[in-house]
Amino acid sequence: MVQDADEEILIDELRNDDFQQRLKSVRRLTTISSALGVERTRNELVPYLNELAVESEDEDEVLLAMAEEIGNLIPHVGGNEHVHHLLLPLETLCAPEEALVRDKAVESLIKVAEVIPNVEEAFVPLIRRLATGDYNSHRIAAAPLFATVYKRVSESSKAEMRRLFGQLSKDDFPMVRKAACTALGGFSQVLEQNHLQNEIIPLFTSLARDDQDSVRIVAVDNCVTLGRIFPTDKNQSLQDKSWRVRYMVADHFCELCESIPREVIEAEMCPALVKFLKDTEAEVRTAAAFKVAGFCSKVSVDVALNQIMPCIRDLVVDQSQHVRAALASVIMGLAPVLGKEHTIEQLVPLFLSLLKDEHHEARLNIICKLDNVNQVIGVECLSQSLLPAIIELAEDKQWRVRLAIIEHIPLLASQMGAKFFEERLAKMCITWLADSVFTIREAASLNLKKLTEVFGVQWASVYIIPQVIELCGHSNYLYRMTAINSIANLTSAVDKEKQKQMLNAVVVATKDPVPNCRFNACKAMELMLPAIDAQIVDSTVVPALNLLSNDEDPDVKFFAAKTLNACMKA
């Protein structure tokens, strides 16, 4: 009796007038059903949930939670044999206009469909009721369900389902047609080949020409799916009166080409891409620009040079900065496609133009892909053609451009070799330590460590360490701080002799008149501890820190104490 009372309390919680309490209870449906047992869950809880779904039509949050939790009740109603009991409340939850509730109910229905044994008797009638329902929401909910059970029903039911799906695709309500169009790709994957030809392709063609932009945009996504299922050498026109649809086609362009023979791509898809690259809407040109490298890899070099390259030359000077930035992000990828000769002759001038673009994003996108070009044309050619522009960008007024250059310096260094790097870029790396932007100074400091790892300690002893130590005496305290941080970063990459030399510079910095420099010296010594011999720590580091532990600045005292503590543990 006590147990029955507890179960009644659980059910009563679902009837609570308080919204939050009812929501909390709905989220505990699996717990409630476990307490009730499978028989009472089927006979009492599930029917009540259906009533609650009808009564709570204005409480979308409760309905959403219910739609999700019912899908988790399959084992609690007795398993697959009794799962059909869950169909009624889920069907009711397909009625609300709130799309989130309806979509979650459909997800749970699909869970049920995957395990229900009596598909023909239980699930097909549900699809029929939804697909022919008076409410638009019912018909929208029906569309994704066809693909789930189609292969498991009789031939007569298959014919009926194809007919019902066709009705949804021609529904008077645009949102129903959009739902059918969204589900078309999935439904196509389970259909027999002859029905694809005779029924689905005509439906797709009709939807692709729908008078609603929203429907045609969704149809574009199905081009890829249908292309894989039903390869064809006859392509529909990819032009559309709505720029949003053209944008979607351009955005999916390379995917659309995946299942098409190369000769068809060159004969029909290439002219279509050219039209997109020349489109009147900047958004369409931007989407198409992102695809040029990927598309050119699918066609011959001659086609790329003769048909796509003229468009690329126009895009380099396009009036839209977004188009130029999009092109800059992929144009370097054309170098491996076109080869060394064509890259030097046709692409390098375009790279130079984009490196000098007034919009910093275009410059950034070119810099980030330099390695693609270097692999094709070689370091000598790169240095003659692009390096002067890169050096110029090292002083770009936009700090993000300078940062991008710094991040690519180690890669360029490894490809150029020490001698070439010394002549062109070594001084620049030191200059960045005195940049006006902290982020640049910080990146430049880390960059020195990476260069030391590339070229070795001997190289760093000549071209980096003396200059960094000299910077410790700069009149600007910000640069002195950068030098201290650089020493801390370099310690693990150099030998014992250089470590001792750099430690002496940091010890000198503990007497700096600016407190920020003094506590940064403390932090630097803490980072250097793992690489320094214990004897040097006791003789040099600890005495300097003991003096700072009585510093008048509280921050200096704090970091001195912190580093002293680290010395004791070392």
Side-chain angles (χ1 to χ4, degrees):
M1 295 296 292
V2 174
Q3 183 180 2
D4 288 344
D6 291 341
E7 294 165 357
E8 291 302 327
I9 290 173
L10 289 171
I11 294 179
D12 286 342
E13 288 179 356
L14 291 169
R15 300 187 177 100
N16 198 299
D17 290 335
D18 181 74
F19 166 77
Q20 290 298 333
Q21 183 59 48
R22 192 159 63 256
L23 177 61
K24 182 179 177 181
S25 300
V26 167
R27 287 175 175 161
R28 296 173 58 220
L29 281 182
T30 53
T31 302
I32 295 173
S33 60
S34 296
L36 292 174
V38 295
E39 189 172 341
R40 291 193 65 189
T41 296
R42 292 197 301 263
N43 299 330
E44 297 179 35
L45 180 60
V46 173
Y48 178 69
L49 291 176
N50 185 59
E51 294 176 15
L52 185 62
V54 174
E55 295 170 358
S56 304
E57 55 184 22
D58 293 329
E59 297 177 355
D60 291 335
E61 197 171 351
V62 172
L63 295 178
L64 179 62
M66 192 185 306
E68 181 175 9
E69 292 299 326
I70 290 177
N72 299 326
L73 293 181
I74 294 174
H76 299 278
V77 295
N80 298 354
E81 292 297 322
H82 300 279
V83 75
H84 61 275
H85 286 87
L86 300 177
L87 295 179
L88 180 60
L90 289 175
E91 182 177 351
T92 301
L93 288 166
C94 289
E97 290 295 329
E98 174 54 53
L100 290 175
V101 176
R102 185 173 62 245
D103 292 346
K104 191 59 69 174
V106 169
E107 285 181 24
S108 293
L109 278 170
I110 291 173
K111 283 185 181 180
V112 172
E114 289 172 347
V115 299
I116 193 168
N118 53 338
V119 177
E120 196 87 37
E121 296 79 12
F123 211 86
V124 172
L126 177 140
I127 291 178
R128 185 185 303 120
R129 290 192 299 272
L130 290 176
T132 58
D134 293 332
Y135 293 113
N136 295 330
S137 55
H138 279 151
R139 302 197 298 281
I140 292 171
L145 300 177
F146 287 84
T148 309
V149 298
Y150 180 82
K151 285 190 172 183
R152 296 163 55 197
V153 301
S154 63
E155 291 302 320
S156 59
S157 292
K158 286 182 178 179
E160 180 185 15
M161 292 179 73
R162 293 194 301 272
R163 179 179 58 79
L164 291 173
F165 193 89
Q167 289 178 3
L168 295 179
S169 302
K170 300 173 183 176
D171 197 275
D172 293 336
F173 190 59
M175 291 303 292
V176 177
R177 298 199 302 276
K178 180 181 177 181
C181 193
T182 302
L184 184 67
F187 191 41
S188 300
Q189 294 182 48
V190 299
L191 257 62
E192 300 81 0
Q193 192 71 23
N194 62 313
H195 296 307
L196 274 175
Q197 172 71 40
N198 299 329
E199 298 181 42
I200 295 301
I201 297 303
L203 283 181
F204 169 72
T205 302
S206 175
L207 290 167
R209 296 172 179 171
D210 197 275
D211 57 0
Q212 293 289 322
D213 289 3
S214 60
V215 177
R216 299 200 306 280
I217 287 172
V218 175
V220 173
D221 289 327
N222 287 311
C223 288
V224 179
T225 303
L226 289 175
R228 291 169 181 159
I229 299 172
F230 188 71
T232 179
D233 57 357
K234 295 181 179 179
N235 292 279
Q236 299 293 327
S237 172
L238 294 176
Q239 299 305 307
D240 192 280
K241 61 185 178 181
S242 169
W243 73 266
R244 292 179 179 84
V245 180
R246 299 197 305 275
Y247 171 86
M248 288 297 294
V249 176
D251 193 46
H252 287 73
F253 206 83
C254 289
E255 296 172 79
L256 294 172
C257 295
E258 285 181 3
S259 58
I260 300 176
R262 180 168 175 172
E263 58 271 17
V264 178
I265 294 176
E266 293 181 349
E268 299 189 32
M269 300 296 281
C270 190
L273 181 61
V274 168
K275 288 183 179 179
F276 287 136
L277 293 171
K278 296 180 177 180
D279 198 275
T280 55
E281 292 291 337
E283 287 84 352
V284 179
R285 297 197 304 277
T286 300
F290 276 121
K291 305 301 174 184
V292 293
F295 181 81
C296 287
S297 67
K298 300 178 184 295
V299 299
S300 67
V301 173
D302 286 341
V303 170
L305 290 172
N306 295 328
Q307 298 190 45
I308 304 300
M309 278 302 299
C311 298
I312 292 175
R313 283 191 281 270
D314 291 339
L315 295 181
V316 168
V317 292
D318 194 278
Q319 61 182 358
S320 169
Q321 65 184 35
H322 302 294
V323 174
R324 301 195 305 274
L327 180 65
S329 70
V330 299
I331 192 172
M332 308 296 263
L334 285 170
V337 176
L338 300 184
K340 181 175 181 178
E341 183 180 343
H342 294 304
T343 296
I344 295 172
E345 181 182 341
Q346 302 213 34
L347 288 180
V348 167
L350 304 183
F351 298 158
L352 287 170
S353 178
L354 289 168
L355 276 171
K356 298 176 182 179
D357 194 279
E358 62 181 16
H359 184 47
H360 75 273
E361 189 175 350
R363 303 195 298 273
L364 271 173
N365 290 342
I366 287 290
I367 295 165
C368 293
K369 300 292 176 63
L370 280 175
D371 54 316
N372 287 348
V373 177
N374 187 36
Q375 292 170 9
V376 176
I377 66 176
V379 66
E380 287 297 328
C381 186
L382 178 68
S383 65
Q384 294 173 10
S385 56
L386 296 181
L387 200 58
I390 293 172
I391 293 174
E392 185 179 337
L393 289 175
E395 299 176 350
D396 195 277
K397 63 181 180 180
Q398 172 54 248
W399 69 267
R400 288 183 176 85
V401 175
R402 302 199 299 277
L403 181 62
I405 292 287
I406 293 172
E407 290 173 345
H408 285 79
I409 283 296
L411 177 63
L412 288 172
S414 63
Q415 294 172 340
M416 292 177 179
K419 183 178 180 180
F420 188 89
F421 188 83
E422 292 161 13
E423 296 174 357
R424 302 296 187 95
L425 299 174
K427 289 183 180 179
M428 189 168 62
C429 293
I430 299 299
T431 303
W432 279 321
L433 293 174
D435 195 275
S436 59
V437 177
F438 169 76
T439 303
I440 299 298
R441 298 197 301 272
E442 185 179 45
S445 176
L446 293 171
N447 178 54
L448 295 182
K449 178 183 178 181
K450 294 176 183 177
L451 289 174
T452 302
E453 292 170 349
V454 171
F455 293 139
V457 176
Q458 197 63 38
W459 181 88
S461 300
V462 177
Y463 292 98
I464 289 181
I465 294 173
Q467 288 86 337
V468 172
I469 292 176
E470 182 181 350
L471 192 62
C472 287
H474 197 280
S475 59
N476 188 319
Y477 82 96
L478 292 175
Y479 304 156
R480 298 199 298 275
M481 285 170 54
T482 302
I484 294 167
N485 293 333
S486 298
I487 287 174
N489 289 328
L490 283 167
T491 300
S492 61
V494 299
D495 56 27
K496 297 293 183 182
E497 183 181 345
K498 292 302 175 185
Q499 287 173 1
K500 186 176 181 180
Q501 186 180 353
M502 292 190 296
L503 178 61
N504 290 335
V506 175
V507 171
V508 171
T510 62
K511 301 174 182 178
D512 196 283
V514 177
N516 288 40
C517 291
R518 297 199 298 275
F519 75 64
N520 269 280
C522 296
K523 291 164 69 176
M525 284 192 284
E526 183 177 3
L527 292 173
M528 296 170 75
L529 285 177
I532 301 173
D533 292 337
Q535 184 179 354
I536 296 178
V537 171
D538 292 337
S539 63
T540 306
V541 175
V542 172
L545 291 171
N546 282 329
L547 289 174
L548 290 179
S549 61
N550 297 315
D551 197 277
E552 60 183 16
D553 187 277
D555 290 330
V556 176
K557 290 170 66 174
F558 171 81
F559 285 108
K562 184 173 181 290
T563 306
L564 272 172
N565 186 48
C567 291
M568 301 304 174
K569 295 178 180 179

